[in-house]
Amino acid sequence: MKKGLVLLLYIQFCLTVLAQSFQPEFSVAGFFPVENSGREVYSMNPSWRFYKGEVSGAEKVDFDDSGWGRVSLPHSVDTLPSEASGCANYQGVSWYRKHFSVKPGLLGKKLFVYFEAVMGKTRVWVNGELCATHYGGYLPIILDVTDKLGEENVIAVCTDNSNDPLYPPGKPQEFLDFTYSGGIYRDCWLIAHNRVFITDENYASEVAGGGTFVSYGRVSEKSADLQLKVQLKNETKQSFKGKVHVTLCSPSGETVCKKVSSVQIPSGKNGYCHARIEVKNPRLWYPSSPSLYQVYIEVKDTKTGKTIDGYRKKIGIRSIEFKGKDGLWVNGKPYPRPLMGANRHQDFAVVGNAMTNNLHWRDAKKLKDLGLEIIRNAHYPQDPAFMDACDALGLFVIENTPGWQFWNEDPIFQTRVFDDIRNIIRRDRNRPSVFLWEPILNETWYPESFVDSVAQIVADEYPYPYSHIVGDSEARGASRFSVLYAHPSNGDTDIAIKNLNPDVSYFTREWGDNVDDWNSHNSTSRVKRCWGETPMLVQATHYASPSYTCTNYDVLWKTPKQHFGGCLWHSFDHQRGYHPDPFYGGLADVFRQPKYSYYMFMAQRPLDSLDIQAESGPMIYIAHEMTPFSPADVTIYSNCEEVRLTVFQGGKTYVYKKESRAGMPSPVIVFKDVYRFMDDKALSRKERQDEVFLLAEGFQDGKKVAEHKRRPARRPAKIVLQLDTEGIDPVADGSDLVTVIASVTDEDGVVKRLNNYHIRFSVEGEGRLLADESSHTNPRPVEWGTAPVLLRTTLRPGKVKIKAEVDSPGLQMPLRGELEFDVLPATHVSIYDEEERGGVIRPVSTVNRSNETEMRNKLNQELKNVERQQTEFGE
């Protein structure tokens, strides 16, 4: 969905490229598959049996689960209403069982089942044998199932997301500022390869070892030094002799370098191969130009000459340094501006944490559209798909270990925290997006010895340059951190650090919230989108530069380079445990529908158009709906140097010219007392409605580069449906999600913000709605002119038709809307029994309304007579 369902015209922008569908590539268990490499990847996501609650004997192979529901991963144990805070989500035990067959050719291979994450305390059985017990909800669970699978198999998973102080986060959810919805909420894979293979970084469980480790020495625009370390394991009965081929390809696909190393690994042992590569004139990874190289690793058997294992890794060549009072340096140069970003929870409407890969990518793109350059993963490691997007789109990431305001002296808790830190680094150490490790527990009074331990763990796990840790300036052990969190000295004086240590660089981890107290949580920053214009304008002004003292966008741009930026709290609205209200301080709501503050942030991005899969360049947005209750002042957000506002045809044109000043790049533009509804009324009574509009034009160097036009919404006439795909098509993997937005509009497509209809959705073809009456999601009330709904794909590519109509249709009510779109084939082969396939939605029966439009036209003619008489007897 284009933000706000409003056309933003970007002159001198590559519209053709943006209009094309772009399908991102996602990693699988930490790598990208290569054909004919000896390594095969299968999705285990489709067709699991699910039961919410305790049940006895479900781990047994012959357990009767025929009465259980069928689900696909990623899956949440809850289908939630849009407002689901205050511990409304289920907490407790849930069970999953998957029946599947394995083709005979795989049974002689080395086989791993790889869960990207399962929430809470988890036990996994394979064919009745307990294979894993895991504590935590954010990191992989990896099972060696080589000798445990046959032709017919059952995997049983018991998850429990109830409170437990012995693993992080540890804090009871009724006192936690976020939720962790239960379930197998990330992807699951079956990995098959030969018995001489490249190990997995997490499963190998070696300090600074396992899998593939790419690190960097000297990095500059002239040259860069790369070091590769690859671990192989030999599980055959003979010693293995072979060669490891490493090929480095540039972002444009040319071969940069090839290295070949001989290896000899005894039976049952591990071995490493090392490669050093010097890259001349490298294309460096940078937020505005996130260049990704491809590293192909291929293992060949000397005796046969055959490739027996291999894959790709995507890397970005870059350096990150912090130089105290000289601030942040990237790729050997000082960063030219404050590094601005936002925090992000893995939380979405209806599905909670169970976001699909495409949803994660869309989130990252929406944030990059704003010109943001850094994301803090609050407060845990996030989905690999989101990290893939950050790598590709140019978003730095602060990696957090799970934790929030909780410390437990029990050694078991501390050991599990340490294990999390190690596994976070092992999982994401090769990613160019990783900016800082945050190995401490958020807002927690831990002992100083804890900081000593975690700092040493990071140093051990990443013993190379450009690895840095960050923590709060107020916390114990702060001297061990490379970067300290603090508010700028001209921000909130109660918590600001005024006397900066010249040897330390500072960053603001969370800014923007403005509560009256930490119990009530009333705030100028927390605005539900449907509250309308004035609250959203207040929120945007609060984030930009309010009249009172607080850390805001303008303040962060006025800090010295030693304080190099900050992350907004928070990017999107999200659900919480310890408060009955969701967090409404997002730039967009839980469905990612933007608020006015979204466009205020967008106006801060540079004017340059970037060669990335995200919006960039000039923009302009009128934050005014032209309703009878809209303010007289007209607010505009734009990054152009000159803005002209024309009020009504033939009306006055107002001009704003950006002045050179310290602070945020594009201050909020307010034209005072220029809109009057009574002027609209006067023209409308004369049937001159076409003359009523607001036209904002943005100029750069005297040339118009952006335009936005507003008209008031007239009589509600129809429902318009739009997909929020961000150019990424849904895929037929049985679980992909896409948001459909139904807007109530007038005949010209202008959204009618002020109405109180309820919209009922129906679907035909290869999709199904995640919506029902019990969760108040179908029919769904219209809020601020729109009603969003989630749609999940089936396992078959093809057409989907979705329909929306008012819940109480009538001849004078808005016309029903329809939208048809394609679902693309899935990227990876899935494993499931055909009898378990299910989930295909058959066409739904609907009322025949073929003559509705004709009847509507006749009624509209008669309405002209009604209007004429009202005019004759009115004022």
Side-chain angles (χ1 to χ4, degrees), residues 65-76:
D65 57 18
S66 59
W68 291 13
R70 295 176 182 175
V71 301
S72 289
L73 312 182
H75 179 257
S76 172

Side-chain angles (χ1 to χ4, degrees), residues 683-709:
L683 288 170
S684 296
R685 289 292 178 89
K686 298 175 183 178
E687 297 189 2
R688 294 166 59 186
Q689 290 91 341
D690 288 347
E691 299 179 27
V692 181
F693 58 79
L694 298 175
L695 174 64
E697 299 168 291
F699 293 83
Q700 199 68 23
D701 298 324
K703 185 176 181 180
K704 186 166 77 170
V705 294
E707 178 183 294
H708 185 205
K709 193 173 187 178

Side-chain angles (χ1 to χ4, degrees), residues 500-692:
L500 302 183
N501 182 338
D503 298 325
V504 175
S505 297
Y506 294 84
F507 187 79
T508 300
R509 63 174 168 84
E510 298 172 15
W511 65 271
D513 213 0
N514 189 42
V515 297
D516 51 358
D517 60 66
W518 290 108
N519 181 272
S520 302
H521 287 208
N522 298 306
S523 174
T524 50
S525 65
R526 300 192 182 187
V527 174
K528 187 171 172 62
R529 178 175 168 272
C530 68
W531 295 347
E533 281 172 284
T534 298
M536 285 197 288
L537 288 168
V538 169
Q539 183 198 47
T541 299
H542 166 73
Y543 285 153
S545 181
S547 58
Y548 42 84
T549 299
C550 67
T551 303
N552 54 64
Y553 211 118
D554 195 58
V555 163
L556 287 166
W557 265 72
K558 291 176 179 176
T559 58
K561 54 189 173 181
Q562 183 175 2
H563 191 123
F564 61 88
C567 283
L568 174 78
W569 187 266
H570 179 274
S571 52
F572 306 116
D573 290 359
H574 65 85
Q575 310 301 337
R576 302 186 290 165
Y578 81 127
H579 201 277
D581 296 332
F583 177 80
Y584 290 135
L587 305 177
D589 70 10
V590 288
F591 282 96
R592 300 341 187 218
Q593 296 181 105
K595 307 174 190 177
Y596 288 164
S597 55
Y598 188 95
Y599 300 102
M600 186 280 291
F601 266 69
M602 185 181 286
Q604 311 314 314
R605 74 188 186 197
L607 277 164
D608 299 334
S609 295
L610 305 179
D611 186 19
I612 57 174
Q613 290 293 333
E615 295 180 20
S616 60
M619 66 78 59
I620 194 165
Y621 183 86
I622 304 171
H624 196 283
E625 304 298 329
M626 302 186 72
T627 76
F629 312 103
S630 295
D633 298 345
V634 173
T635 299
I636 292 177
Y637 309 122
S638 179
N639 56 0
C640 300
E641 66 179 12
E642 180 179 323
V643 170
R644 299 176 192 172
L645 174 67
T646 301
V647 181
F648 296 4
Q649 184 173 313
K652 186 174 180 179
T653 296
Y654 305 85
V655 179
Y656 164 86
K657 291 187 177 181
K658 189 182 295 184
E659 298 178 355
S660 178
R661 61 183 291 278
M664 62 192 298
S666 301
V668 175
I669 303 167
V670 180
F671 293 101
K672 293 284 189 179
D673 197 26
V674 298
Y675 171 77
R676 297 173 184 84
F677 169 72
M678 295 305 290
D679 295 340
D680 173 8
K681 175 183 173 180
L683 288 170
S684 296
R685 289 292 178 89
K686 298 175 183 178
E687 297 189 2
R688 294 166 59 186
Q689 290 91 341
D690 288 347
E691 299 179 27
V692 181

Side-chain angles (χ1 to χ4, degrees), residues 331-457:
N331 299 331
K333 296 181 178 180
Y335 208 70
R337 56 187 173 273
L339 192 65
M340 301 299 291
N343 287 264
R344 190 241 186 194
H345 274 304
Q346 58 176 23
D347 181 88
F348 204 90
V350 180
V351 296
N353 297 159
M355 296 178 64
T356 60
N357 292 343
N358 281 341
L359 280 182
H360 284 293
W361 190 284
R362 291 176 191 129
D363 265 12
K365 181 188 176 299
K366 289 174 190 293
L367 296 173
K368 188 65 178 182
D369 287 349
L370 304 180
L372 297 185
E373 296 179 327
I374 185 167
I375 303 299
R376 179 170 175 255
N377 282 349
H379 298 290
Y380 38 77
Q382 299 196 8
D383 196 291
F386 183 74
M387 299 298 292
D388 290 338
C390 292
D391 288 341
L393 296 173
L395 286 165
F396 278 129
V397 174
I398 299 175
E399 282 264 46
N400 295 52
T401 191
W404 194 80
Q405 294 186 0
F406 181 81
W407 175 252
N408 190 338
E409 291 288 351
D410 193 305
I412 294 176
F413 177 82
Q414 296 179 53
T415 297
R416 289 171 178 165
V417 172
F418 298 154
D419 288 343
D420 280 348
I421 296 167
R422 293 188 184 279
N423 282 307
I424 292 167
I425 296 172
R426 292 167 186 171
R427 192 193 75 163
D428 290 336
R429 64 196 181 190
N430 295 322
R431 294 187 178 276
S433 59
V434 173
F435 182 72
L436 287 164
W437 307 108
E438 188 178 322
I440 49 86
L441 306 172
N442 185 68
E443 297 180 1
T444 299
W445 292 114
Y446 41 73
E448 188 164 348
S449 59
F450 171 75
V451 182
D452 294 336
S453 297
V454 300
Q456 190 60 52
I457 287 172

